[in-house]
Amino acid sequence: MNPNKGYRDPARVKAVLDKIYEIADRPVTLMEVCGTHTMAIFRHGIRKLLPANVKLISGPGCPVCVTSHKAVDEAVAIALEPNVIFTTFGDMMRVPGSRISLAQAKASGADVRIVYSPLEAVTLAQSNPDKEVVFFAIGFETTSPTIAASVLTAEELAVNNFSILGYLKTIPNALRVLLSSEEVKIDGLICPGHVSAVIGSEPYEFVAREFGIPAVIAGFEPLDILQSIYMILWQLKANLAKVEIQYRRGVPKEGNLHAMEVLRQVFEPADEYWRGLGIIPGTGLRLKDAYQKFNAKVKFNVEVPDQPEPKGCRCGEVLRGAITPLECPLFAKVCTPEKPVGACMVSVEGTCAAYYKYGR
Ligand code: SF4
């Protein structure tokens, strides 16, 4: 039996929608931070169900989309080194670098393999002691603890031919940058369920405290998302600004303490570049000194130059919620999922991919 079935029940969905229509008495713009929410919102046609004065915009919560060209270029450079098995989650394969993607590197002879967990890469390293196995570590707090665990496993088993090319990011400070900007006025945040299952609700408290707007941590079923929107509208109507958890079945207030502990054991905060947002202090995760031997950047000493974004691609503005993909002149003409110009069209969580599939 599908435990989420009740969260798609048409009668319950309609009841919440009725409440939303009752309470939506002014124009509001809400940002869904997370790419998984963006896809769910499009897949279930939620934007079309909402009153015209409740506008949803998408945020920067797709890890593939906010990864720089430079990161892809480094990955390609390492993958093309002799004796390397380069492993990655499938989503990164087709992301264009400034010259080629990992998929194209593979086509030209590099040993690039898709894995479903970084621990698979450790196992691969164990069974290929004469090779260097590198894992492309892209993700937010959701995936970072597993990547930290893979480093600890490699350390414990002395798998010294394993390393990570790390571009991990943490969400909360990126939200601070978005909310501080005057580019887009955001009245409330629909916060990511998966990231919050790890970090809990406390890291979002600044949203209410510093910016005076509501933030609700939402699940991914239609009823979850609609309930979260209703909770935000209710707070706005009552002139409240607080952090609430709608997704209680997945998110404890304190998060996952064990996962956070593993994360802190291996990584420390560092400044990190986000496509569309620039360098944001403290939003990256750097391997601690004790684990630097697992740092592929150090091991391979690759230096690739910074590259501008592809000509005409407006991914940055899409990721800041400043425009929709429909406003990008390349959308669906030059840029399609088959021939993507920017990462936002490649990723299964990308806003441009969501608009292409459901929103044209
Ligand atoms: Fe970039 Fe393509 Fe999106 Fe335009 S449609 S912003 S080119 S990814």
Side-chain angles (χ1 to χ4, degrees), residues 173-186:
N173 268 342
L175 298 180
R176 181 179 267 114
V177 169
L178 268 179
L179 295 172
S180 303
S181 149
E182 293 187 355
E183 189 175 37
V184 186
K185 183 181 174 300
I186 299 167

Side-chain angles (χ1 to χ4, degrees), residues 5 69 88 95 97 102-103 105 176 185 193 261 270-271 294:
K5 200 170 163 220
H69 253 152
T88 176
V95 177
L102 280 170
R176 181 179 267 114
K185 183 181 174 300
E261 178 49 38
D271 299 350
F294 298 108

Side-chain angles (χ1 to χ4, degrees), residues 312-316 318 323 325 328-332 335 340-345 352:
C313 175
R314 298 181 68 184
C315 261
V318 171
I323 64 165
C328 171
L330 306 189
F331 178 78
C335 181
V341 175
C344 305
M345 187 58 95
C352 299

Side-chain angles (χ1 to χ4, degrees), residues 27-309:
V28 294
T29 300
L30 312 182
M31 173 176 274
E32 88 269 359
V33 173
C34 163
T36 313
H37 276 143
T38 300
M39 265 301 171
I41 285 166
F42 274 99
R43 189 179 316 118
H44 299 296
I46 286 175
R47 284 182 190 220
K48 291 182 189 144
L49 294 176
L50 293 172
N53 57 359
V54 178
K55 183 178 167 196
L56 296 184
I57 58 171
S58 307
C62 154
V64 172
C65 306
V66 291
T67 298
S68 67
H69 253 152
K70 189 174 177 181
V72 178
D73 288 347
E74 280 183 6
V76 166
I78 293 174
L80 288 169
E81 291 270 330
N83 243 15
V84 165
I85 300 174
F86 194 90
T87 62
T88 176
F89 291 138
D91 246 20
M92 286 308 296
M93 280 297 269
R94 293 177 55 244
V95 177
S98 63
R99 212 168 48 81
I100 57 171
S101 64
L102 280 170
Q104 287 163 317
K106 184 179 169 76
S108 67
D111 189 349
V112 182
R113 305 187 193 182
I114 292 176
V115 291
Y116 296 95
S117 150
L119 289 164
E120 260 184 71
V122 178
T123 307
L124 203 56
Q126 270 185 305
S127 50
N128 290 273
D130 53 334
K131 303 261 186 185
E132 282 292 332
V133 176
V134 182
F135 176 72
F136 200 7
I138 299 293
F140 295 135
E141 292 92 331
T142 326
T143 37
S144 303
T146 323
I147 294 168
S150 74
V151 171
L152 291 178
T153 303
E155 167 85 339
E156 196 185 318
L157 302 175
V159 186
N160 294 324
N161 60 329
F162 167 80
S163 58
I164 64 167
L165 177 61
Y167 280 95
L168 298 168
K169 295 177 174 58
T170 53
I171 286 278
N173 268 342
L175 298 180
R176 181 179 267 114
V177 169
L178 268 179
L179 295 172
S180 303
S181 149
E182 293 187 355
E183 189 175 37
V184 186
K185 183 181 174 300
I186 299 167
D187 299 299
L189 288 179
I190 300 168
C191 291
H194 293 147
V195 163
S196 309
V198 175
I199 66 174
S201 60
E202 197 282 332
Y204 304 106
E205 288 294 339
F206 76 91
V207 173
R209 202 174 50 240
E210 292 175 28
F211 298 95
I213 66 168
V216 173
I217 297 167
F220 297 94
E221 293 297 324
L223 198 59
D224 290 319
I225 296 167
L226 289 170
Q227 268 176 354
S228 303
I229 292 170
Y230 175 72
M231 288 162 78
I232 294 175
L233 295 179
W234 189 89
Q235 282 198 47
L236 288 171
K237 186 153 181 116
N239 252 330
L240 292 171
K242 52 184 182 170
V243 180
E244 293 184 296
I245 305 173
Q246 179 279 332
Y247 190 33
R248 290 199 173 274
R249 66 192 186 285
V251 177
K253 195 172 184 319
E254 69 285 1
N256 182 329
L257 297 177
H258 176 65
M260 288 303 288
E261 178 49 38
V262 171
L263 198 61
R264 285 192 203 105
Q265 204 178 329
V266 174
F267 294 111
E268 60 193 6
D271 299 350
E272 182 65 33
Y273 175 83
W274 294 60
R275 173 180 281 139
L277 298 173
I279 293 175
I280 309 179
T283 57
L285 292 171
R286 174 192 175 274
L287 279 167
K288 285 186 167 172
D289 286 345
Y291 301 102
Q292 279 296 316
K293 65 179 176 191
F294 298 108
N295 186 348
K297 285 183 214 176
V298 172
K299 207 176 237 184
F300 292 91
N301 195 22
V302 282
E303 269 308 323
V304 302
D306 283 328
Q307 294 290 344
E309 290 297 312

